[in-house]
Amino acid sequence: MKIIAIANQKGGVGKTTTAVNLSACLAELGKRVLVIDLDPQANATTALGLTPDADVNLYHPLVEDTPVEEQIRETHLENLFLLPAALQLAGVEVVLAQQGNHHSRLKEVLAPLTELDQLDYVIMDSPPSLGILMTSALATADDLLVPVQCEFFGIQALAGIYQEVLASMQEAGLAHARLEGIILTMYDGRTRLARSVIEEVRSHFPKETYKTIIPRTVRLGEAPSHCKTIIEYDPAGVGAFAYRALADEFIQRRREYRVT
Ligand SMILES: Nc1ncnc2c1ncn2[C@@H]1O[C@H](COP(=O)(O)OP(=O)(O)OP(=O)(O)O)[C@@H](O)[C@H]1O
Ligand SMILES: [Mg+2]
């Protein structure tokens, strides 16, 4: 079981869309995937068709020692499971901040899942802030995936999470995640800026940048309002095509690195 954090402190860059749709496409390929919604906004929870519930979210395992397995729900897609979020999860920031071990707490909570060994991937969707929930995701993950919007500030955000946040956590021995991949999102081929952002990201991170680029499409934006993933909402559209290609590339890259 590999734990993957999808993170970027910048808001609205496609973290949740990527967490939900990459996971759905991996599940479609037969991988057993658990999405952990670490964002109190609970967007991934809603997009996967569940209603945020104050009694079912990570707050309880993190703060009250409830077994994590009890908080996992099935989704309507085969092989795809969800540990939902709810607004209450925001309370974790305050409670854990008072405890010395807050960075290792999430890892401890997820340890039984590693032992059970029934999942291929745990994919965490993190909130757009540098708070404890986001840094806990980095501290717990084996791999970090950073969605970068094909816009000017996209590069700045990438530099921030990589050079400041991840590097300083690694130096302090708090994180061991590698930057496995950068995913370019919301690409609009009509703008020269989008193309120059792609070139710049690729020139700085030739190995890390995924070849698959996620286009901006109306359907990807609409799917969550129907509580559906893109492979259910518009299975033959360009959004589904892109996320299926991303899932293929995700698996292929892991074969090349000889990690599962
Ligand atoms: N490729 C895309 N094409 C069109 N719309 C998209 C695309 N990706 C995401 N969106 C839409 O853009 C908005 C932001 O995307 P998303 O919620 O995935 O970003 P996020 O990084 O998770 O945001 P936050 O930081 O608030 O958690 C959403 O309304 C989403 O539906
Ligand atoms: Mg989000």
Side-chain angles (χ1 to χ4, degrees), residues 67-150:
V68 70
E69 305 91 293
E70 289 178 11
Q71 306 279 311
I72 294 175
R73 297 291 176 266
E74 290 186 345
T75 69
H76 43 264
L77 292 177
E78 202 181 341
N79 297 326
L80 186 62
F81 304 88
L82 173 70
L83 205 167
L87 202 52
Q88 196 199 22
L89 189 56
V92 163
E93 297 276 348
V94 180
V95 179
L96 285 195
Q98 292 161 354
Q99 298 173 8
N101 66 343
H102 60 257
H103 281 113
S104 55
R105 182 68 190 135
L106 180 59
K107 201 172 205 159
E108 264 168 41
V109 159
L110 299 186
L113 298 182
T114 311
E115 276 160 35
L116 281 172
D117 201 25
Q118 289 174 349
L119 294 163
D120 295 300
Y121 301 113
V122 171
I123 297 192
M124 300 187 286
D125 180 28
S126 25
S129 72
L130 292 170
I132 286 174
L133 286 163
M134 196 269 227
T135 49
S136 292
L138 294 185
T140 306
D142 300 301
D143 290 345
L144 168 64
L145 279 180
V146 183
V148 171
Q149 207 177 343
C150 295

Coordinates of all heavy atoms in Angstrom, one line a residue, residues 67-150:
P67 N -11.1 3.7 15.8 CA -10.4 2.9 14.8 C -10.7 3.5 13.4 O -11.9 3.7 13.0 CB -10.9 1.5 14.9 CG -11.5 1.5 16.3 CD -12.0 2.8 16.6
V68 N -9.7 3.7 12.6 CA -9.8 4.3 11.3 C -10.7 3.5 10.4 O -11.5 4.0 9.6 CB -8.4 4.6 10.7 CG1 -7.7 3.3 10.2 CG2 -8.5 5.6 9.5
E69 N -10.6 2.2 10.5 CA -11.5 1.3 9.6 C -12.9 1.6 9.7 O -13.7 1.5 8.8 CB -11.3 -0.2 9.9 CG -9.8 -0.7 9.9 CD -9.2 -0.6 11.3 OE1 -9.0 0.6 11.8 OE2 -8.9 -1.6 11.9
E70 N -13.4 2.0 10.9 CA -14.8 2.3 11.1 C -15.3 3.5 10.4 O -16.5 3.7 10.2 CB -15.1 2.5 12.6 CG -14.9 1.3 13.5 CD -15.2 1.5 14.9 OE1 -15.6 2.6 15.3 OE2 -14.8 0.6 15.7
Q71 N -14.3 4.3 9.9 CA -14.7 5.6 9.3 C -14.7 5.5 7.7 O -15.0 6.4 7.0 CB -13.8 6.7 9.7 CG -13.7 6.9 11.2 CD -14.8 7.7 11.8 OE1 -15.1 8.7 11.3 NE2 -15.4 7.2 12.8
I72 N -14.4 4.3 7.2 CA -14.2 4.1 5.8 C -15.6 3.7 5.2 O -16.3 2.8 5.7 CB -13.1 3.1 5.5 CG1 -11.8 3.7 5.9 CG2 -13.1 2.8 4.0 CD1 -10.6 2.7 5.8
R73 N -15.9 4.3 4.1 CA -17.2 4.0 3.4 C -17.0 3.5 2.0 O -16.0 3.9 1.4 CB -18.1 5.3 3.3 CG -18.5 5.8 4.7 CD -19.5 4.9 5.4 NE -19.8 5.3 6.8 CZ -19.2 4.9 7.9 NH1 -18.2 4.0 7.8 NH2 -19.6 5.2 9.1
E74 N -17.9 2.7 1.5 CA -17.8 2.3 0.1 C -18.4 3.5 -0.7 O -19.2 4.2 -0.3 CB -18.7 1.1 -0.1 CG -18.1 -0.1 0.5 CD -18.9 -1.4 0.2 OE1 -20.0 -1.3 -0.3 OE2 -18.3 -2.5 0.4
T75 N -17.9 3.6 -2.0 CA -18.5 4.5 -2.9 C -19.3 3.7 -3.9 O -19.3 2.5 -3.8 CB -17.4 5.3 -3.7 OG1 -16.8 4.4 -4.6 CG2 -16.4 6.0 -2.7
H76 N -20.0 4.4 -4.8 CA -20.8 3.6 -5.8 C -19.9 3.0 -6.9 O -20.4 2.3 -7.8 CB -21.9 4.4 -6.4 CG -21.6 5.8 -6.7 ND1 -21.8 6.8 -5.9 CD2 -21.0 6.2 -7.8 CE1 -21.3 7.9 -6.5 NE2 -20.8 7.6 -7.6
L77 N -18.6 3.2 -6.8 CA -17.6 2.6 -7.8 C -16.9 1.4 -7.1 O -16.5 1.5 -6.0 CB -16.6 3.6 -8.3 CG -17.2 4.8 -9.1 CD1 -16.0 5.7 -9.5 CD2 -17.8 4.2 -10.4
E78 N -16.8 0.3 -7.9 CA -16.1 -0.8 -7.4 C -14.7 -0.5 -7.1 O -14.0 0.3 -7.9 CB -16.2 -1.9 -8.4 CG -16.0 -3.3 -7.9 CD -16.1 -4.4 -9.0 OE1 -16.6 -4.1 -10.1 OE2 -15.6 -5.5 -8.7
N79 N -14.1 -1.0 -6.0 CA -12.7 -0.9 -5.7 C -12.4 0.5 -5.1 O -11.2 0.8 -4.8 CB -11.7 -1.1 -6.8 CG -11.8 -2.5 -7.4 OD1 -12.0 -3.4 -6.6 ND2 -11.6 -2.7 -8.7
L80 N -13.4 1.4 -5.0 CA -13.1 2.8 -4.6 C -13.7 3.1 -3.2 O -15.0 2.9 -3.1 CB -13.5 3.8 -5.6 CG -13.2 5.2 -5.4 CD1 -11.7 5.4 -5.3 CD2 -13.8 6.2 -6.4
F81 N -12.9 3.4 -2.3 CA -13.4 3.6 -0.9 C -13.1 5.1 -0.5 O -12.2 5.7 -1.1 CB -12.8 2.6 0.1 CG -13.0 1.2 -0.4 CD1 -12.1 0.6 -1.2 CD2 -14.1 0.5 0.1 CE1 -12.3 -0.7 -1.7 CE2 -14.3 -0.8 -0.4 CZ -13.4 -1.4 -1.2
L82 N -13.8 5.5 0.5 CA -13.7 6.9 0.9 C -13.7 7.1 2.4 O -14.5 6.5 3.1 CB -14.8 7.8 0.4 CG -14.9 9.2 0.8 CD1 -13.7 10.1 0.3 CD2 -16.2 9.9 0.5
L83 N -12.7 7.8 2.9 CA -12.7 8.2 4.3 C -13.2 9.7 4.2 O -12.4 10.6 3.9 CB -11.4 8.1 5.0 CG -11.4 7.9 6.5 CD1 -10.0 7.5 7.0 CD2 -11.8 9.2 7.2
P84 N -14.4 10.0 4.5 CA -15.0 11.3 4.2 C -14.5 12.4 5.1 O -13.9 12.2 6.2 CB -16.5 11.1 4.4 CG -16.7 9.7 4.7 CD -15.4 9.1 5.1
A85 N -14.8 13.6 4.7 CA -14.5 14.8 5.6 C -15.8 15.5 5.9 O -16.9 15.2 5.3 CB -13.6 15.8 4.8
A86 N -15.7 16.3 6.9 CA -16.9 17.2 7.3 C -16.2 18.4 7.9 O -15.1 18.4 8.3 CB -17.8 16.5 8.2
L87 N -17.0 19.5 8.0 CA -16.5 20.8 8.5 C -15.8 20.6 9.9 O -14.9 21.3 10.2 CB -17.7 21.8 8.6 CG -17.3 23.2 8.6 CD1 -16.4 23.6 7.4 CD2 -18.5 24.1 8.6
Q88 N -16.3 19.6 10.7 CA -15.8 19.4 12.0 C -14.3 19.1 12.0 O -13.6 19.3 12.9 CB -16.5 18.2 12.5 CG -16.4 17.9 14.0 CD -16.8 16.5 14.3 OE1 -16.7 15.6 13.5 NE2 -17.1 16.3 15.6
L89 N -13.8 18.6 10.8 CA -12.4 18.2 10.7 C -11.5 19.5 10.9 O -10.3 19.3 11.3 CB -12.2 17.6 9.3 CG -10.9 17.0 9.0 CD1 -10.5 15.9 9.9 CD2 -10.9 16.4 7.5
A90 N -12.0 20.6 10.7 CA -11.3 21.9 10.9 C -10.8 22.0 12.4 O -9.7 22.5 12.6 CB -12.1 23.1 10.5
G91 N -11.5 21.4 13.3 CA -11.2 21.4 14.7 C -9.9 20.7 15.0 O -9.2 21.0 16.0
V92 N -9.5 19.8 14.1 CA -8.2 19.1 14.3 C -7.0 20.1 14.3 O -6.1 19.9 15.1 CB -8.0 18.1 13.1 CG1 -6.6 17.6 13.0 CG2 -8.9 16.9 13.3
E93 N -7.1 21.1 13.5 CA -6.0 22.1 13.5 C -5.7 22.6 14.9 O -4.6 22.8 15.3 CB -6.4 23.3 12.6 CG -6.6 22.9 11.1 CD -5.3 22.8 10.3 OE1 -4.3 23.3 10.8 OE2 -5.3 22.3 9.2
V94 N -6.8 22.9 15.6 CA -6.6 23.5 17.0 C -6.2 22.4 18.0 O -5.2 22.6 18.7 CB -8.0 24.1 17.4 CG1 -7.9 24.7 18.8 CG2 -8.5 25.1 16.4
V95 N -6.9 21.3 17.9 CA -6.6 20.3 19.0 C -5.2 19.7 18.8 O -4.4 19.6 19.7 CB -7.6 19.1 18.9 CG1 -7.3 18.1 19.9 CG2 -9.0 19.7 19.1
L96 N -4.8 19.3 17.5 CA -3.5 18.7 17.3 C -2.4 19.7 17.6 O -1.3 19.3 18.0 CB -3.4 18.1 15.9 CG -4.1 16.8 15.7 CD1 -3.6 16.2 14.4 CD2 -4.0 15.8 16.8
A97 N -2.6 21.0 17.3 CA -1.6 22.0 17.5 C -1.1 22.0 19.0 O 0.1 22.4 19.2 CB -2.1 23.4 17.1
Q98 N -2.0 21.6 19.9 CA -1.6 21.6 21.3 C -0.8 20.4 21.7 O -0.3 20.2 22.8 CB -2.9 21.7 22.1 CG -3.5 23.1 22.0 CD -5.0 23.0 22.4 OE1 -5.5 22.0 22.7 NE2 -5.6 24.2 22.5
Q99 N -0.7 19.4 20.7 CA 0.0 18.2 21.0 C 1.4 18.2 20.3 O 1.5 18.7 19.2 CB -0.8 17.0 20.6 CG -2.1 16.9 21.3 CD -3.0 15.8 20.7 OE1 -2.6 15.0 19.9 NE2 -4.3 15.7 21.2
G100 N 2.4 17.7 21.0 CA 3.7 17.7 20.4 C 3.9 16.9 19.2 O 4.6 17.2 18.3
N101 N 3.1 15.8 19.1 CA 3.3 14.8 18.0 C 2.5 15.0 16.8 O 2.2 14.1 16.0 CB 3.1 13.4 18.6 CG 1.6 13.2 18.9 OD1 0.8 14.2 19.0 ND2 1.1 12.0 19.0
H102 N 2.0 16.2 16.6 CA 1.0 16.4 15.6 C 1.3 15.9 14.2 O 0.5 15.4 13.4 CB 0.3 17.7 15.6 CG 1.3 18.9 15.3 ND1 1.7 19.7 16.2 CD2 1.8 19.3 14.1 CE1 2.5 20.6 15.7 NE2 2.5 20.4 14.4
H103 N 2.6 16.0 13.8 CA 3.0 15.5 12.5 C 2.9 14.0 12.3 O 2.7 13.5 11.2 CB 4.4 16.1 12.1 CG 4.3 17.5 11.7 ND1 4.9 18.5 12.4 CD2 3.7 18.1 10.7 CE1 4.7 19.7 11.9 NE2 3.9 19.5 10.8
S104 N 3.2 13.3 13.4 CA 3.2 11.8 13.2 C 1.8 11.2 13.5 O 1.6 10.0 13.3 CB 4.2 11.2 14.2 OG 4.0 11.7 15.5
R105 N 0.9 12.0 14.0 CA -0.4 11.5 14.4 C -1.1 10.8 13.2 O -1.7 9.7 13.4 CB -1.2 12.6 15.0 CG -2.6 12.2 15.5 CD -2.5 11.3 16.7 NE -3.8 10.8 17.0 CZ -4.0 9.5 17.4 NH1 -3.0 8.7 17.5 NH2 -5.2 9.1 17.6
L106 N -1.2 11.4 12.1 CA -1.9 10.8 11.0 C -1.3 9.5 10.5 O -2.0 8.5 10.2 CB -2.0 11.8 9.8 CG -2.7 11.4 8.5 CD1 -4.2 11.0 8.8 CD2 -2.6 12.4 7.4
K107 N 0.0 9.5 10.5 CA 0.7 8.2 10.2 C 0.3 7.1 11.1 O 0.0 6.0 10.7 CB 2.2 8.5 10.2 CG 3.0 7.5 9.4 CD 4.5 7.9 9.4 CE 5.1 7.3 8.2 NZ 6.3 8.0 7.8
E108 N 0.3 7.4 12.4 CA -0.1 6.5 13.5 C -1.5 5.9 13.2 O -1.8 4.8 13.3 CB -0.2 7.2 14.8 CG 1.0 7.1 15.7 CD 0.9 8.1 16.8 OE1 -0.2 8.2 17.4 OE2 1.9 8.7 17.1
V109 N -2.4 6.9 12.9 CA -3.8 6.6 12.7 C -4.0 5.6 11.5 O -4.8 4.7 11.5 CB -4.6 7.9 12.5 CG1 -5.9 7.6 11.8 CG2 -4.8 8.5 13.9
L110 N -3.1 5.8 10.5 CA -3.3 5.0 9.2 C -2.5 3.7 9.3 O -2.7 2.9 8.4 CB -2.8 5.8 8.0 CG -3.6 7.1 7.7 CD1 -3.1 7.7 6.4 CD2 -5.1 6.9 7.6
A111 N -1.7 3.5 10.3 CA -0.9 2.3 10.4 C -1.7 1.0 10.3 O -1.2 0.1 9.6 CB 0.0 2.3 11.7
P112 N -2.9 0.9 10.9 CA -3.6 -0.4 10.8 C -4.0 -0.7 9.3 O -4.1 -1.9 8.9 CB -4.9 -0.1 11.6 CG -4.6 1.0 12.5 CD -3.5 1.8 11.8
L113 N -4.1 0.3 8.5 CA -4.5 0.1 7.1 C -3.3 -0.6 6.4 O -3.4 -1.4 5.5 CB -4.8 1.4 6.3 CG -6.1 2.1 6.9 CD1 -6.3 3.4 6.0 CD2 -7.3 1.2 6.8
T114 N -2.1 -0.1 6.7 CA -0.9 -0.7 6.1 C -0.8 -2.2 6.5 O -0.5 -3.1 5.7 CB 0.4 0.0 6.6 OG1 0.2 1.4 6.4 CG2 1.6 -0.4 5.9
E115 N -1.1 -2.4 7.8 CA -1.1 -3.8 8.3 C -2.1 -4.7 7.6 O -1.9 -5.9 7.2 CB -1.2 -3.9 9.8 CG 0.1 -3.6 10.5 CD -0.2 -3.2 12.0 OE1 -1.1 -3.7 12.6 OE2 0.6 -2.4 12.4
L116 N -3.3 -4.2 7.4 CA -4.4 -5.0 6.8 C -4.0 -5.3 5.4 O -4.4 -6.4 4.9 CB -5.7 -4.2 6.8 CG -6.5 -4.2 8.1 CD1 -7.6 -3.2 8.1 CD2 -7.0 -5.6 8.5
D117 N -3.3 -4.4 4.7 CA -2.8 -4.7 3.4 C -3.9 -5.1 2.4 O -3.7 -6.0 1.6 CB -1.7 -5.7 3.4 CG -0.8 -5.7 2.2 OD1 -0.7 -4.6 1.6 OD2 -0.2 -6.7 1.8
Q118 N -5.0 -4.4 2.4 CA -6.1 -4.7 1.5 C -6.2 -3.6 0.4 O -7.1 -3.7 -0.5 CB -7.4 -4.8 2.2 CG -7.5 -6.1 3.1 CD -8.7 -6.2 3.9 OE1 -9.4 -5.2 4.1 NE2 -8.9 -7.3 4.5
L119 N -5.4 -2.6 0.5 CA -5.5 -1.5 -0.5 C -4.2 -1.4 -1.3 O -3.1 -1.7 -0.8 CB -5.7 -0.2 0.3 CG -7.0 0.0 1.1 CD1 -6.8 1.1 2.1 CD2 -8.1 0.3 0.1
D120 N -4.3 -0.9 -2.5 CA -3.1 -0.6 -3.3 C -2.7 0.8 -3.1 O -1.5 1.0 -2.9 CB -3.4 -0.8 -4.8 CG -3.7 -2.3 -5.1 OD1 -2.9 -3.1 -4.9 OD2 -4.9 -2.6 -5.6
Y121 N -3.6 1.7 -3.1 CA -3.3 3.1 -2.9 C -4.2 3.9 -2.0 O -5.4 3.7 -2.0 CB -3.3 3.9 -4.3 CG -2.4 3.3 -5.3 CD1 -2.9 2.7 -6.4 CD2 -1.0 3.3 -5.1 CE1 -2.1 2.1 -7.4 CE2 -0.2 2.7 -6.1 CZ -0.7 2.1 -7.2 OH 0.1 1.5 -8.1
V122 N -3.6 4.7 -1.1 CA -4.4 5.7 -0.3 C -4.0 7.0 -0.9 O -2.9 7.4 -1.0 CB -4.0 5.6 1.1 CG1 -4.6 6.8 1.9 CG2 -4.3 4.3 1.8
I123 N -5.1 7.7 -1.4 CA -4.8 9.0 -2.0 C -5.5 10.1 -1.2 O -6.7 10.1 -1.0 CB -5.4 9.0 -3.5 CG1 -4.6 7.9 -4.3 CG2 -5.3 10.4 -4.1 CD1 -4.7 7.9 -5.8
M124 N -4.7 11.0 -0.7 CA -5.2 12.0 0.2 C -5.4 13.4 -0.5 O -4.5 13.9 -1.2 CB -4.2 12.3 1.4 CG -3.9 11.0 2.2 SD -2.9 11.3 3.6 CE -1.3 11.5 2.9
D125 N -6.6 13.9 -0.4 CA -6.8 15.2 -0.9 C -6.7 16.2 0.2 O -7.3 16.2 1.2 CB -8.3 15.3 -1.4 CG -8.6 16.6 -2.0 OD1 -7.7 17.3 -2.5 OD2 -9.8 17.0 -2.0
S126 N -5.8 17.2 0.0 CA -5.5 18.1 1.2 C -6.1 19.5 0.9 O -6.3 19.9 -0.2 CB -4.0 18.2 1.5 OG -3.2 17.9 0.4
P127 N -6.2 20.2 2.0 CA -6.8 21.5 1.9 C -5.8 22.6 1.4 O -4.6 22.3 1.5 CB -7.3 21.8 3.4 CG -6.4 21.0 4.2 CD -6.0 19.8 3.4
P128 N -6.3 23.7 0.9 CA -5.4 24.7 0.4 C -4.9 25.6 1.5 O -5.2 26.8 1.5 CB -6.3 25.5 -0.6 CG -7.7 25.4 0.1 CD -7.7 24.0 0.8
S129 N -4.1 25.1 2.4 CA -3.5 26.0 3.4 C -2.3 25.3 3.9 O -2.0 24.1 3.6 CB -4.5 26.2 4.6 OG -4.5 24.9 5.3
L130 N -1.5 26.0 4.6 CA -0.3 25.3 5.2 C -0.5 24.9 6.6 O 0.4 24.8 7.4 CB 0.9 26.3 5.1 CG 1.4 26.6 3.6 CD1 2.3 27.8 3.6 CD2 1.9 25.4 3.0
G131 N -1.7 24.6 6.9 CA -2.0 24.2 8.3 C -1.6 22.7 8.6 O -0.9 22.1 7.8
I132 N -2.1 22.3 9.8 CA -1.6 21.0 10.2 C -2.2 19.8 9.4 O -1.5 18.8 9.2 CB -2.1 20.8 11.7 CG1 -1.2 21.6 12.6 CG2 -2.1 19.3 12.2 CD1 -1.5 21.7 14.0
L133 N -3.4 20.0 8.8 CA -3.9 18.9 8.0 C -3.1 18.7 6.7 O -2.8 17.6 6.4 CB -5.4 19.2 7.6 CG -6.4 19.0 8.8 CD1 -7.7 19.7 8.5 CD2 -6.6 17.5 9.0
M134 N -2.6 19.8 6.2 CA -1.8 19.7 4.9 C -0.4 19.2 5.3 O 0.1 18.2 4.6 CB -1.8 21.0 4.3 CG -1.3 21.0 2.8 SD 0.5 21.2 2.7 CE 0.6 22.4 1.4
T135 N 0.2 19.7 6.3 CA 1.5 19.2 6.6 C 1.5 17.8 7.1 O 2.4 17.0 6.9 CB 2.3 20.2 7.6 OG1 1.4 20.4 8.7 CG2 2.7 21.5 6.9
S136 N 0.4 17.4 7.8 CA 0.3 16.0 8.2 C 0.2 15.1 7.0 O 0.8 14.0 7.0 CB -1.0 15.8 9.0 OG -1.0 16.4 10.2
A137 N -0.4 15.5 5.9 CA -0.5 14.7 4.7 C 1.0 14.5 4.2 O 1.4 13.4 3.8 CB -1.4 15.4 3.7
L138 N 1.7 15.6 4.2 CA 3.1 15.5 3.7 C 4.0 14.6 4.6 O 4.8 13.8 4.1 CB 3.8 16.9 3.6 CG 3.2 17.9 2.6 CD1 4.0 19.1 2.5 CD2 3.2 17.2 1.2
A139 N 3.7 14.7 5.9 CA 4.5 13.9 6.8 C 4.2 12.4 6.7 O 5.0 11.5 7.0 CB 4.2 14.3 8.2
T140 N 3.0 12.1 6.2 CA 2.5 10.7 6.2 C 2.7 10.0 4.8 O 2.9 8.8 4.7 CB 1.0 10.7 6.4 OG1 0.7 11.4 7.7 CG2 0.4 9.3 6.5
A141 N 2.8 10.8 3.8 CA 2.9 10.3 2.4 C 4.2 9.6 2.0 O 5.2 10.1 2.5 CB 2.5 11.4 1.4
D142 N 4.1 8.6 1.2 CA 5.3 8.1 0.5 C 5.6 9.0 -0.7 O 6.8 9.3 -1.0 CB 5.0 6.7 0.0 CG 4.7 5.7 1.1 OD1 5.5 5.6 2.0 OD2 3.6 5.2 1.0
D143 N 4.6 9.5 -1.4 CA 4.8 10.3 -2.6 C 3.9 11.5 -2.5 O 2.8 11.5 -2.0 CB 4.3 9.5 -3.8 CG 5.2 8.3 -4.1 OD1 6.3 8.3 -3.6 OD2 4.8 7.5 -4.9
L144 N 4.4 12.6 -3.1 CA 3.7 13.8 -3.3 C 3.3 14.1 -4.7 O 4.2 14.0 -5.6 CB 4.5 15.0 -2.7 CG 4.0 16.4 -3.0 CD1 2.6 16.7 -2.3 CD2 5.0 17.4 -2.5
L145 N 2.1 14.3 -5.0 CA 1.7 14.8 -6.3 C 1.2 16.2 -6.2 O 0.3 16.5 -5.4 CB 0.5 13.9 -6.8 CG 0.8 12.5 -7.4 CD1 -0.6 11.9 -7.8 CD2 1.7 12.6 -8.6
V146 N 1.7 17.1 -7.1 CA 1.3 18.5 -7.0 C 0.6 18.9 -8.3 O 1.3 18.9 -9.4 CB 2.6 19.4 -6.8 CG1 2.2 20.8 -6.7 CG2 3.4 19.0 -5.6
P147 N -0.7 19.2 -8.2 CA -1.3 19.7 -9.4 C -0.9 21.2 -9.5 O -0.9 21.9 -8.6 CB -2.8 19.6 -9.0 CG -2.9 18.9 -7.8 CD -1.6 19.0 -7.1
V148 N -0.6 21.6 -10.8 CA -0.2 23.0 -11.0 C -1.1 23.5 -12.1 O -1.2 22.9 -13.2 CB 1.3 23.0 -11.5 CG1 1.6 24.4 -11.9 CG2 2.2 22.6 -10.3
Q149 N -1.7 24.6 -11.8 CA -2.6 25.2 -12.8 C -1.7 25.9 -13.9 O -0.7 26.5 -13.5 CB -3.5 26.2 -12.1 CG -4.8 26.5 -12.8 CD -5.6 27.5 -12.0 OE1 -5.3 27.7 -10.8 NE2 -6.6 28.1 -12.6
C150 N -2.1 25.7 -15.1 CA -1.3 26.3 -16.2 C -1.5 27.8 -16.3 O -2.0 28.4 -17.2 CB -1.7 25.7 -17.5 SG -1.4 23.9 -17.6

